[in-house]
Structure formats: structure tokens, C-alpha cells
Amino acid sequence: MAGYGESQTSVPGGQVIAEDEMLRWEREQCLENAERAFSGEFCVGMIGPLSHAPGKWWYTLDGVVMNRLARCDGHVANAEEARAEVERGWTKWCKAAGLAPYATMTGT
């Protein structure tokens, strides 16, 4: 996935695909080619290829209740669009909740 994300790192529990200031994308172990989106350690969404429609991808924003803020699932043309839909929904939810879209977890 060249060109997506600002850095790539390794995180225990999953292979990091891309990481930027918003979400960290990791490969899903149980579904072929699927990815999970994390904000800190909180899983907020998931994407993957549609098995019955080659070239199409599904996405779901299921870490939070959207209640008409944004579409929480759908089908798009590719992985980049699917990631963008999850990130767009997460940003809208955070704005409505008065939170930053990404927070670094620190121990106290």
C-alpha cells in the first residue's frame, strides 16, 4: 500500500498496514485481506474485499454508534476509498462527541 500513511510500524497482536495521525490499520487475522482500524487501542472499524464482487470493498464503522452522523457501512471501489469512509465517519463522530480523532494512550 505504497503512498498510504506516514509511517509503518510493528505492533504486538497484528501486522500494521499504515499509520497516520488519525487511525492505525492492521491486518485482520480471521478474514482474508481484511483490515481493522484502531484509534489508540480502540477498534473503530473494519474494511475488506467483497467475495461476491471482485474489485469491490466493504467497510464498517462499528466501534461507535453513528445515529445519522455518517453512514456506518457500505461498498466502495477499492481499499483506499474504504479506509477513507471509515476515517471520515470516525472524524464526524469525534467532532460530535467533542473529542480528538486520535489520542496517544499513555500510562499514568
Side-chain angles (χ1 to χ4, degrees), residues 24-28 34-38 43 45-47 62:
R24 183 181 76 249
W25 291 91
E26 294 184 9
R27 290 255 186 248
E28 167 55 44
E35 303 171 15
R36 288 189 181 272
F38 290 86
C43 181
M46 195 168 166
I47 68 170
D62 54 6

Side-chain angles (χ1 to χ4, degrees), residues 2-107:
Y4 186 80
E6 295 177 359
S7 65
Q8 292 188 7
T9 58
S10 178
V11 175
Q15 177 189 2
V16 173
I17 306 304
E19 184 173 14
D20 60 19
E21 65 279 355
M22 176 113 55
L23 295 173
R24 183 181 76 249
W25 291 91
E26 294 184 9
R27 290 255 186 248
E28 167 55 44
Q29 302 299 319
C30 297
L31 294 172
E32 187 175 346
N33 296 321
E35 303 171 15
R36 288 189 181 272
F38 290 86
S39 178
E41 297 304 312
F42 184 62
C43 181
V44 299
M46 195 168 166
I47 68 170
L50 286 168
S51 59
H52 65 279
K56 295 276 189 180
W57 282 66
W58 56 267
Y59 69 89
T60 180
L61 187 70
D62 54 6
V64 293
V65 177
M66 295 305 293
N67 286 342
R68 298 185 198 109
L69 289 172
R71 184 173 175 130
C72 62
D73 61 10
H75 299 155
V76 293
N78 56 50
E80 289 75 24
E81 288 181 29
R83 284 188 209 98
E85 289 296 328
V86 171
E87 290 175 358
R88 190 174 4 269
W90 179 239
T91 299
K92 285 182 179 181
W93 185 88
C94 287
K95 183 176 179 181
L99 301 171
Y102 182 82
T104 303
M105 303 295 284
T106 58

